[in-house]
Each structure stands twice: as C-alpha cells, then as structure tokens.
Amino acid sequence: MLDKKKDFELIRQIHTVLVLHYLEGQKQADVARALNLSNSKVNRLITQGRKMGMVKIDVESPFETLMGIERDLTRSTSLTEAIVTPSVAGSAETTLQQVGRAAANHLVETLRDGDVIAITGGKAISATVAALEVERAFDVTVVPLTGGIQGKYYTDVNHLATQMAERLGGKTMLLHAPLFAESRDQRDMLEQVSSIREVLDIARRANVALVGIGSIEPEGSSHYDLHPVPEADRKMLVGMGVIGEFLAHLIQTDGSVSNYALNSRLVSVAPNDLAQCARVIGVSTGAEKVLPIKAVLNGKFLNSLILDEDTATAVIQEMEGT
C-alpha cells in the first residue's frame, strides 16, 4: 500500500525541481544547491518526473499559419519541402527580399563541401544571391544552367554565378554563350564547343539546382528582358497554351515544353534534365507567377519551393481547382 504522505512529498519535490529547472532555467547543479540535494538526486527526480508524464513540452510559433500552408503545399504536390515567408502588403520588392533571404538561408543550411550549385538568372535568384551570408567558406563550385544576356543584373547568369561563388567562398565555371542562338543549327554547334559542353554537363549533374520561375504576363515579367516581343506575339503565345518560363523554356500548363521555335534556339539545360540533379530548389514570388508555378509543379521539376504567403495560397487554390 502506498504511503500517501510520502507519495505527496515526493511529487511535490519533483514538481519543485522541474519548475526550477525547466521554467526558471536553472542548471541541475544550481537546483541541487538551492534545495540542499545532491546533483545525482536532482537528476533522478527530473528523470522520474519525465517518466511520470509531469513534463510536457509545447512548441508554438507565431507563424503557424505559414507552416500550415507549407504542409498543404507538400501534400497537394510532389514537393518534398516548401518554405513560405510572410507577404508584405503593398511592397512586392520587400516580399521578394524576404523570399530571397529564406532561400539563401535554406541553401546555406543544406550545403556541403564539394557540392556543385547550378543556377538560373532572374530577380528571385538575384535576391537570393544578395542575401547570402556564411560563417565559413564552402568548397563549392557554382555554374550557370543557361546562357546569359548582358544588360541587367538579373539576366546575366554568369555575373550571378560569380557573385554567389564569391559570397560562399567557392569557385565558378562560366558559360561563355548567349542564351539565344540565331538558329537551331548554331545552337547545336555552340553546345558542341568543349568549354560550353563541359559546363552544361556539370550543371545537369549538380548537387543543387537553384532556379527561378518566369511569367509571360507583360507587367513586371523578366521574360521579355530576355527576349522582347510585340504584344501580338505575346497573345499568340497565350493562344498556343504557353503559361510561363522555366530555364528560359516556354512551358505549358502541364509542364511540357511548348512547341515554339524559340525553344529550339536556347543554349540551356532542358527542364527534364533537372531530374539528374540531387536537389532542385525553386524560388518565386508574385501573383503573376501563380500559373507558371502551377505548371512547374505539374511538370514535377522541383523538390523544394520557396515563396511568399499570398503566392503560396493562390497556388494551392489553383492546384486544388485542378
């Protein structure tokens, strides 16, 4: 038969120890001194209290809603991971910077020495590069996934690759080729140049591919920084079922590459080639990116996706509608 008085005193003592240790943050040695107990006795009381279920740990986050959206994204798509940042009302630029910081932190947390990182151009990738901060140098190699277009900081992928390598403490291999060849034959010839072929082959087998997702909507679309077209041509693309841009390829709602002549002139890794990369991380934000993101998810090109709350919510609604 239990001695209720002794049992009560034991529970009371365990409770006191647990409060001092867990709630007041005292070390076990401090608790022992305060209660005139041995260190081993305090340790036994803590262990006994945990076994009796007296310790319950509840971790709460002020961003639980965002984590719920992340879970919804991974459940409704082939993604293995999603990271959703808060949206900043009325400031697309600030939202972009937040998404860039989240992507930069995720990249650094998962990098390993010896990794090859392959990247595209684009505003989101540029924001990611700008936000990179490391406590030590990484022995990594950064390579472009596409040829480049000079003129704007986010379309010159060689410039972005060089910046990323410098910030990480690694090295870079540049792709000395334009994004668009003048013809398909010229594209084939360029891709047979040994230095270009080597970089593209390395990019296809990268440990990490960091990719942007482009829109063909005219307002704010960086696709037309790559290849300006008249409004009539844009409407023709929409009529053909083109919904967005991925690795500079124009893609349709199901993620397939559009049968559009410009795609055959690209000096770039093809979307389907990303399957050879160990991890493919997409970074994107903005209402105009919702349908392009949906297309990329339908194509199952990504392992991870980093975006803001408003964009993520709209993408989930689109995917559920499908």
Side-chain angles (χ1 to χ4, degrees):
M1 183 176 177
L2 290 173
D3 186 329
K4 291 186 177 180
K5 182 177 179 180
K6 288 185 178 178
D7 195 44
F8 170 76
E9 291 300 330
L10 174 61
I11 297 298
R12 186 185 182 92
Q13 188 176 46
I14 292 174
H15 181 268
T16 301
V17 168
L18 294 176
V19 168
L20 292 174
H21 181 56
Y22 286 108
L23 298 186
E24 297 187 12
Q26 295 188 29
K27 296 180 180 179
Q28 291 188 24
D30 296 332
V31 175
R33 280 194 297 271
L35 301 179
N36 291 320
L37 300 173
S38 67
N39 288 349
S40 58
K41 174 73 169 179
V42 169
N43 185 269
R44 286 198 302 273
L45 292 172
I46 291 173
T47 301
Q48 192 171 355
R50 294 180 64 177
K51 288 181 178 178
M52 294 171 66
M54 293 175 66
V55 178
K56 298 184 185 298
I57 300 175
D58 188 15
V59 180
E60 294 184 355
S61 168
F63 299 112
E64 189 62 36
T65 300
L66 300 183
M67 295 175 183
I69 295 172
E70 293 171 356
R71 290 189 291 270
D72 289 344
L73 267 173
T74 54
R75 278 197 294 260
S76 60
T77 67
S78 61
L79 292 171
T80 57
E81 184 175 29
I83 297 175
V84 178
T85 72
S87 301
V88 181
S91 181
E93 183 60 30
T94 304
T95 300
L96 175 63
Q97 290 173 0
Q98 287 199 152
V99 170
R101 283 195 296 271
N105 290 337
H106 176 68
L107 178 65
V108 171
E109 288 170 358
T110 56
L111 269 187
R112 298 292 181 268
D113 286 323
D115 279 353
V116 173
I117 309 166
I119 68 170
T120 66
K123 294 177 182 177
I125 303 304
S126 179
T128 302
V129 172
L132 281 171
E133 294 182 1
V134 295
E135 295 182 356
R136 70 170 181 89
F138 285 89
D139 179 18
V140 295
T141 302
V142 185
V143 298
L145 280 159
T146 73
I149 291 180
Q150 295 182 345
K152 293 191 176 179
Y153 64 93
Y154 53 82
T155 61
D156 189 343
V157 67
N158 278 337
H159 175 65
L160 289 176
T162 301
Q163 278 194 319
M164 175 175 279
E166 289 175 350
R167 288 177 177 271
L168 294 175
K171 60 182 181 293
T172 185
M173 295 180 67
L174 303 182
L175 183 58
H176 295 295
L179 178 57
F180 297 103
E182 293 182 3
S183 66
R184 183 170 187 164
D185 288 343
Q186 187 187 68
R187 188 279 311 268
D188 293 342
M189 181 189 70
L190 285 170
E191 291 191 348
Q192 289 307 309
V193 176
S194 59
S195 59
I196 296 174
R197 185 175 67 246
E198 179 185 13
V199 173
L200 290 176
D201 285 345
I202 290 172
R204 291 185 181 98
R205 300 189 304 272
N207 304 93
V208 183
L210 189 69
V211 297
I213 300 169
S215 167
I216 64 164
E217 291 297 325
E219 186 176 354
S221 171
S222 58
H223 173 70
Y224 300 113
D225 292 323
L226 304 177
H227 186 74
V229 299
E231 177 63 13
D233 285 14
R234 190 193 72 80
K235 290 181 178 179
M236 179 192 69
L237 291 175
V238 173
M240 291 173 59
V242 172
I243 205 73
E245 170 262 316
F246 189 62
L247 273 68
H249 291 74
L250 296 174
I251 59 173
Q252 298 182 289
T253 301
D254 61 357
S256 62
V257 174
S258 173
N259 185 25
Y260 182 56
L262 192 64
N263 284 335
S264 68
R265 291 164 41 200
L266 286 168
V267 180
S268 170
V269 170
N272 287 330
D273 289 344
L274 290 180
Q276 302 176 60
C277 297
R279 289 191 297 126
V280 184
I281 305 170
V283 189
S284 193
T285 176
E288 74 279 2
K289 301 295 184 70
V290 172
L291 293 179
I293 291 171
K294 175 185 174 182
V296 170
L297 292 175
N298 285 338
K300 299 182 179 180
F301 297 128
L302 306 178
N303 305 118
S304 304
L305 177 60
I306 304 170
L307 68 176
D308 68 289
E309 180 180 4
D310 289 349
T311 307
T313 301
V315 168
I316 291 170
Q317 291 172 347
E318 279 291 333
M319 298 300 291
E320 290 178 346
T322 302

